[in-house]
Amino acid sequence: MNDKILATIKSSETDDWADTRIIRPLAYWGAIFFARLGIQPNTVTIISMIIGVLSAFFFVRGSYFYEGVSGLWANLVAILLLVWAGILD
């Protein structure tokens, strides 16, 4: 793993395996991408919040129990959006 990515990793009490191996590298490369575009960190945080609200919309949409397969798909989209918001944040 890149030394710059390793420098972003917190203690083992706060970062689990998924954070260390998946989330942190994606967040690092995302930060590099947004920096090259000239987008400020506060703007990325606002984008993350918007994606989080959109995720909540899909969570409220329903579940497999009430909506069937369309509710299941809505929940899967919500989970992916929530992970994406976490990576951006």
Side-chain angles (χ1 to χ4, degrees):
M1 191 178 294
N2 190 342
D3 290 336
K4 292 181 180 180
I5 297 173
L6 286 174
T8 66
I9 296 175
K10 298 177 186 175
S11 66
S12 62
E13 289 85 20
T14 58
D15 280 353
D16 61 0
W17 182 89
D19 285 328
T20 305
R21 301 286 180 215
I22 299 169
I23 303 298
R24 290 286 175 180
L26 288 174
Y28 175 78
W29 292 113
I32 298 293
F33 173 75
F34 286 118
R36 287 189 179 163
L37 290 178
I39 298 174
Q40 299 296 319
N42 287 341
T43 306
V44 176
T45 299
I46 292 169
I47 292 169
S48 171
M49 290 170 23
I50 292 168
I51 293 172
V53 169
L54 187 62
S55 172
F57 170 76
F58 279 100
F59 271 123
V60 171
R61 169 90 167 68
S63 67
Y64 181 72
F65 182 75
Y66 293 110
E67 299 288 329
V69 176
S70 66
L72 177 65
W73 281 108
N75 281 331
L76 291 175
V77 168
I79 291 168
L80 292 174
L81 287 172
L82 192 60
V83 170
W84 187 22
I87 290 170
L88 288 179
D89 194 40

